[in-house]
Amino acid sequence: MLLIKNIMTLLQVRDDSPQYVAGPAMKTLPSIDHAFLLVDEGKIVDYGEMENCPKISNAEQIDATGKIVLPSWCDSHTHIVYAGNREGEFVDRINGMTYQEIAENGGGILNSAKKLQATSIEDLYDQSKKRLEEVILMGTGAVEIKSGYGLTKDAELKMLRVIKMLKENYDIPIKATFLGAHAIPQEFKGNKLGYLAMLIEEILPVIAEESLAEYIDIFCEKGYFTVEDTELIMEAGKRFGLTPKIHVNQFTSIGGVGAGVKHSALSVDHLEVMTDEDISALEGSDTMPVALPSCSFFLSIPYTPARKMIDRGLALALATDYNPGSTPSGNMNFVVSTACIKMKMTPEEAINAATINGAYAMGLENEVGSITIGKRANFIITEKVNSLGFLPYSFGKNHIDSVYLNGKKQVF
Ligand code: NIG
Ligand code: FE
């Protein structure tokens, strides 16, 4: 047993956890001041005000005077399994090339695919586990990881097998997404439908057979895949038991959001460019919009219009998009700060978006995302801070004292 005592503020306390919070409800972050939290066998078993703290002699005790305890970040969109880096392209962009121009010249996703194809599964695992450990220590306590830098049958399966190995070896819950339709590889240039057919006929059956993924994704964007391609992939995924979670509206709005909603996508992600029609398509649906502000920051592209979306009653989740091209950072603390600074979300809204709504965007809302009895004891203890607003305010500093997964302190 583990008992955390004298917590200055216990955040995101939900006796009866909703699946997600939307619209005006995002402004409320239920909390208890001067609180305790009790953990047993990896789960939250009790919490409340200190005056009701049970007297337990056989529990390990931690004093959290002056500190905040909150559920771990739920990062519902990452690509942390990749090989090598792309800082050369970063410099090319500084010198004036655009992200799209780099991709059109064989850089971008194809550059990462070339590196990954030449990397052994052991090496890929070693590179990826470092990033997983890094994000855990920054407070992430549930994560989704995509394939999509393989672009051949062997390399896509290699990525998914690495994700499976990570699932087996770490306490953090991980969801895997098949993103074979991330870009059209050189070998299929001019034959996009041939590539999609290969994904559907040759890779999806193996994924289903070996239970290698829960979700299916596609990059729905001008120059990549059309709305028609997106519908084809979402339907194929569903036939193999995979739920859609898609990349849409990063640079242009071409109707992918509506298509995602129509096909009951669990989430639609990026959304830097949103028309009124896209917002209307999400109204009344259970598809979670996911914003990736670190990507906007790194590429200097617009931020998802969070204010407009939440004020129209929508839910919103926040995730990192950690990947070598558009977001070489997996820091959810920075994401929360950036959402407040650049997207005008309040700290309460941003923390709801980065916990309970992120959990929903990867089907983990019954396991993580709030301080609720029966959920996993995945939480962050902050350093001594003044208030919750201090966390996003002092951007660039994480203020993390320690992180726990299944009630175990994480050290690497
Ligand atoms: O989510 N937009 C598509 N895919 C990734 C980045 C791909 C890359 O540049 O490597 C993203 O931003
Ligand atoms: Fe992404």
Side-chain angles (χ1 to χ4, degrees), residues 77 79 86 89 99 108-110 112 146 149 179 182 219 221 224 247 250-251 270 272 292 295 299 321 323-327:
H77 182 137
H79 310 245
R86 307 216 308 259
E89 293 180 4
Y99 179 75
I109 296 165
L110 298 187
S112 285
K146 300 172 194 297
Y149 288 119
L179 175 57
H182 198 190
F219 188 14
E221 185 57 63
Y224 292 83
H247 281 74
Q250 182 175 4
F251 302 108
H270 270 289
E272 287 86 343
L292 310 166
C295 175
L299 293 186
D321 198 19
N323 75 74
S326 72
T327 322

Side-chain angles (χ1 to χ4, degrees), residues 42 70-72 141-142 171-173 368 376-380 404-407:
L70 70 159
S72 301
D171 284 317
I172 186 169
V368 291
R376 286 180 189 242
N378 291 12
F379 56 88
I380 298 168
Y404 287 77
L405 295 178
N406 302 333

